[in-house]
């Protein structure tokens, strides 16, 4: 016998009514289909400040998407261009490649994002994956994400009376200058940490003119790229290595910022010299870290490999690759024909290496990790420095050519080498007798810094705090120059002229 609705208890009647209402709602939803619009659940670079090492961002969607409609409608544009343009839909100035893994899209930049720029990522008009099969257009909820790149900034050693020998940070984007080291130290060389938060530098006392009296320090820049942390105050100095028992000659900082390699010589035994290494993580407790000696044979110039696990050091007539993690007594590899490594590509796939010839000329070779060797150029002068372009298969080198063999006068010049065609073209000629020119390629590949030193003519009775080059030549003053480079363009096809910066100093380096 079927009970009437009134025969049920009140609680049962409420439950039955709710079931009927839910059934009706479910039926309506089924009949109308899925009307929930897809949306972006996460954007990995949201409100972040990125650098050249940041090569890809990811976007995760709430449901599977029609990939072609997403790729068609995704825009990555500078905010300034969006504000100036009448139709931002045509803006796509940060090109990249797209890959998919389910609901997650990865956008990999083809070239580093230019520094000092705010960007906006927009997506609208894209459909979910099942729109076409169900004959219904479910467009994504309009999405706007924002990120920015680091400020364009450089570090140099001051050469005017007020900033003589001091380490100076100049923010090109904000046009702000900041002195990092005190007047009682004369900075001799330096290298930024990869995150830009500290600078590793060597310095002597302003009261001691001895170039071999340098100690190794770090100093904070007052910069942080972590949005959730306050930056450490600028100018905080920590001693890494003193000069009590050993002279600190040269140093190099590993690409990951975790290891310092230093060439040191015993003060009371000049023949006792070699490579030492220090872990930067030991300095977190503000105590001087422990230096450990590599067991490898003594050598000349050296450079840490891109993976931060080994060091390439000139030994005899060749170059040895010595481990920083395992047994350093036996080289991991030895390249007998090359006496110097000028530069490594960022991914470690290739290196620019120098061969010294018996006729006093020098050859520059491109050597790959597959064993391929290609001669790039030959010079009667010197090869002062090389940098791999992060955005194109181009190598920038600072060379000299011998213009007077009797007086041995060299003229420096900047050359670009296309690593695919091996074509080389001079980019800039510099004044003669400028052997101490230093160059630095911007992390985004859009500018080259270099200096022009003016030497003192009268070297009698020099003050103890006089600035000197690595070979001991006294410096009167020095200017800094910037050569802009255009993105995705052959720099030799356009009329690019360097511009002098309103800064007096030498040894400029870009901040990463």
């Amino acid at each position: 016998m079927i009970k009437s609705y009134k025969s049920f208890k009140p609680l049962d009647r409420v439950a039955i009514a709710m079931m009927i209402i839910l059934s009706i709602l479910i039926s309506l939803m089924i009949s109308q289909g899925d009307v929930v619009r897809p949306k972006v659940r996460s954007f990995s670079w949201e409100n972040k400040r990125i650098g050249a090492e940041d090569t890809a961002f990811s976007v995760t969607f709430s449901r599977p998407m029609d990939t072609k409609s997403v790729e068609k409608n995704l825009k990555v544009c500078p905010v300034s261009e969006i504000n100036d343009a009448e139709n931002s839909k045509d803006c796509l100035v940060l090109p990249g490649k797209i890959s998919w893994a389910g609901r997650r899209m990865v956008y990999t930049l083809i070239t580093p994002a230019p520094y000092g720029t705010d960007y906006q990522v927009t997506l609208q008009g894209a459909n979910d994956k099942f729109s076409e099969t169900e004959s219904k257009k479910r467009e994504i909820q309009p999405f706007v994400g924002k990120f920015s790149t680091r400020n364009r900034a450089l570090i140099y050693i001051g050469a005017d009376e007020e900033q003589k020998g001091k380490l100076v940070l100049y923010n090109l984007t904000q046009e702000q200058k900041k002195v990092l080291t005190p007047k009682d130290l004369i900075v001799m060389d330096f290298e930024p940490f990869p995150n830009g938060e500290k600078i590793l530098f060597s310095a002597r006392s302003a009261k001691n003119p001895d170039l071999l009296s340098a100690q190794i320090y770090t100093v904070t820049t007052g910069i942080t790229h972590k949005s959730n942390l306050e930056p450490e105050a600028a100018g905080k100095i920590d001693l890494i290595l003193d000069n009590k028992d050993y002279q600190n000659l040269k140093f190099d900082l590993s690409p990951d910022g975790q290891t310092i390699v230093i060439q040191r010589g015993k003060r009371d035994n000049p023949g006792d010299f070699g490579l030492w290494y220090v872990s930067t993580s030991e300095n977190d407790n503000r105590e001087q870290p422990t230096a450990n000696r590599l067991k490898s044979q003594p050598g000349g110039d050296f450079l840490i490999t891109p993976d931060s696990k080994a060091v390439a050091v000139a030994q005899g007539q060749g170059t040895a690759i010595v481990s920083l993690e395992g047994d350093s007594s036996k080289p991991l590899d030895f390249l007998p024909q090359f006496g110097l490594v000028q530069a490594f590509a960022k991914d470690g796939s290739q290196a620019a290496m120098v061969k010294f010839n018996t006729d006093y000329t020098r050859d520059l070779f491109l050597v790959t990790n597959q064993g391929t060797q290609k001669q790039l150029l030959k010079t009667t002068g010197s090869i002062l420095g090389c940098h791999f372009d992060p955005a194109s298969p181009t190598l920038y080198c600072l060379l000299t050519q011998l213009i007077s063999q009797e007086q041995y006068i060299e003229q420096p010049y900047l050359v670009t080498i296309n690593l695919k065609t091996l074509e080389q073209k001079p980019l800039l000629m510099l004044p003669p007798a400028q052997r101490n020119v230093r160059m630095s390629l911007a992390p985004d590949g859009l500018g080259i810094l270099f200096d022009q030193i003016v030497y003192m003519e009268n070297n009698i009775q020099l003050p103890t705090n006089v600035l000197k080059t690595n070979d001991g030549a006294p410096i009167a003053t020095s200017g800094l120059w910037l050569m802009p480079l255009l993105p995705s363009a052959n720099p030799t096809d356009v009329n690019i002229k360097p511009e002098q910066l309103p800064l007096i100093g030498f040894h400029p380096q870009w901040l990463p």
Side-chain angles (χ1 to χ4, degrees):
M1 183 177 178
I2 301 176
K3 295 183 179 180
S4 66
Y5 180 77
K6 293 183 178 180
S7 63
F8 287 99
K9 295 181 179 179
L11 184 60
D12 293 334
R13 290 199 297 269
V14 171
I16 293 171
M18 291 297 296
M19 290 173 64
I20 294 172
I21 293 172
L22 288 174
S23 299
I24 294 172
L25 291 175
I26 292 172
S27 299
L28 289 173
M29 290 183 64
I30 293 175
S31 63
Q32 294 180 4
D34 186 0
V35 294
V36 179
R37 299 176 68 184
K39 64 179 181 179
V40 171
R41 286 196 181 276
S42 65
F43 169 48
S44 61
W45 283 358
E46 183 64 49
N47 295 324
K48 288 188 176 181
R49 189 178 293 274
I50 67 165
E53 72 278 6
D54 298 302
T55 59
F57 64 78
S58 63
V59 177
T60 304
F61 299 92
S62 62
R63 58 188 302 144
M65 299 296 296
D66 175 14
T67 57
K68 291 184 179 180
S69 68
V70 173
E71 296 173 13
K72 178 182 177 182
N73 291 282
L74 182 70
K75 308 297 178 185
V76 185
C77 307
V79 173
S80 59
E81 184 167 327
I82 294 175
N83 294 336
D84 295 338
E86 294 181 2
N87 186 2
S88 62
K89 292 183 179 180
D90 297 330
C91 171
L92 181 56
V93 297
L94 196 58
K97 297 180 180 179
I98 295 177
S99 58
W100 291 87
R103 293 179 297 162
R104 184 171 177 265
M105 183 203 73
V106 176
Y107 192 89
T108 303
L109 304 183
I110 296 176
T111 60
Y115 275 34
T117 308
D118 295 324
Y119 288 92
Q120 184 169 291
V121 179
T122 59
L123 179 61
Q124 57 183 1
N127 304 317
D128 74 8
K129 186 176 182 179
F130 305 107
S131 292
E132 186 175 350
T133 58
E134 297 176 2
S135 300
K136 293 181 179 180
K137 293 292 184 181
R138 281 189 297 271
E139 288 191 355
I140 191 170
Q141 294 182 19
F143 169 74
V144 177
K146 293 183 178 181
F147 69 93
S148 60
T149 50
R150 297 173 184 171
N151 289 336
R152 198 176 296 275
L154 62 101
I155 306 286
Y156 66 95
I157 301 173
D160 60 359
E161 194 59 37
E162 183 180 353
Q163 299 166 357
K164 180 185 293 186
K166 298 178 182 179
L167 206 57
V168 183
L169 166 64
Y170 183 69
N171 190 321
L172 276 170
T173 303
Q174 300 178 349
E175 297 183 350
Q176 294 179 350
K177 185 188 297 184
K178 187 185 300 181
V179 177
L180 301 179
T181 55
K183 62 181 180 180
D184 61 335
L185 291 179
I186 300 295
V187 177
M188 301 171 64
D189 199 3
F190 65 92
E191 190 170 347
F193 278 74
N195 57 14
E197 296 180 2
K198 291 192 297 184
I199 308 293
L200 178 70
F201 71 97
S202 61
R204 60 181 174 89
S205 169
K207 300 178 180 180
N208 188 350
D210 184 7
L211 297 180
L212 300 179
S213 64
Q215 301 191 122
I216 309 296
Y217 305 85
T218 62
V219 62
T220 55
T221 61
I223 295 174
T224 183
H225 303 297
K226 299 175 182 177
S227 57
N228 59 338
L229 294 178
E230 287 292 327
E232 196 170 3
K236 191 171 186 178
I237 294 178
D238 288 313
L239 178 64
I240 301 297
L241 280 179
D242 59 39
N243 60 3
K244 294 179 181 178
D245 300 319
Y246 288 87
Q247 296 169 330
N248 302 303
L249 306 177
K250 299 178 180 179
F251 65 88
D252 190 29
L253 179 64
S254 63
D256 63 4
Q258 297 297 311
T259 306
I260 307 168
V261 175
I262 312 99
Q263 187 183 63
R264 310 182 82 197
K266 199 79 161 61
R267 299 194 69 87
D268 56 3
N269 183 9
D272 181 10
F273 71 98
L275 294 183
W276 298 65
Y277 67 95
V278 170
S279 173
T280 59
S281 59
E282 294 183 18
N283 201 36
D284 292 341
N285 55 8
R286 302 304 175 192
E287 295 181 1
Q288 188 173 334
T290 303
N292 299 287
R293 187 166 185 169
L294 289 173
K295 298 178 182 179
S296 65
Q297 295 296 320
D301 286 334
F302 58 94
L303 188 65
I304 300 177
T305 56
D307 61 4
S308 303
K309 297 180 180 180
V311 58
V313 55
Q315 291 184 352
Q317 298 298 317
T319 296
I321 309 298
V322 179
S323 174
L324 292 174
E325 296 184 337
D327 184 6
S328 60
S329 61
K330 296 180 180 180
L332 300 174
D333 196 6
F334 187 77
L335 302 170
Q337 66 272 49
F338 301 112
L340 179 65
V341 179
Q342 272 292 353
F344 284 108
K346 189 175 181 180
D347 60 1
S349 62
Q350 50 193 0
M353 307 190 74
V354 179
K355 179 183 178 182
F356 297 94
N357 302 315
T358 55
D359 61 356
Y360 302 105
T361 61
R362 294 170 174 84
D363 295 332
L364 183 67
F365 275 78
L366 180 69
V367 181
T368 70
N369 55 6
Q370 303 298 318
T372 304
Q373 301 176 6
K374 296 180 181 179
Q375 184 178 0
L376 300 177
L377 58 84
K378 179 186 290 287
T379 179
T380 57
S382 304
I383 302 173
L384 303 180
C386 292
H387 295 278
F388 285 90
D389 190 337
S392 67
T394 302
L395 184 69
Y396 293 94
C397 288
L398 185 62
L399 313 174
T400 66
Q401 59 184 3
L402 198 59
I403 59 175
S404 174
Q405 193 158 2
E406 293 77 13
Q407 298 177 318
Y408 203 83
I409 298 177
E410 298 174 87
Q411 182 171 23
Y413 65 100
L414 185 64
V415 65
T416 65
I417 305 172
N418 187 311
L419 299 179
K420 289 186 176 180
T421 64
L422 303 187
E423 180 183 13
Q424 55 171 301
K425 291 184 179 180
L427 187 61
L428 177 68
M429 298 296 294
L430 295 171
Q434 285 275 335
R435 270 193 57 86
N436 290 286
V437 178
R438 303 289 287 265
M439 65 168 283
S440 177
L441 179 65
D444 58 6
L446 297 181
I448 293 178
L449 291 170
F450 62 93
D451 54 9
Q452 290 195 39
I453 295 175
V454 178
Y455 302 100
M456 288 186 177
E457 296 182 359
N458 185 1
N459 297 344
I460 301 175
Q461 295 182 346
L462 295 175
T464 57
N465 67 341
V466 68
L467 303 179
K468 296 181 180 180
T469 62
N470 291 337
D471 55 11
I475 299 173
T477 186
S478 180
L480 299 183
W481 294 75
L482 169 63
M483 168 163 281
L485 300 175
L486 300 180
S488 304
N490 188 339
T492 59
D493 292 340
V494 292
N495 187 20
I496 302 176
K497 294 183 178 180
E499 55 186 70
Q500 187 169 9
L501 298 174
L503 306 170
I504 300 176
F506 63 101
H507 191 6
Q509 287 195 48
W510 291 103
L511 205 62

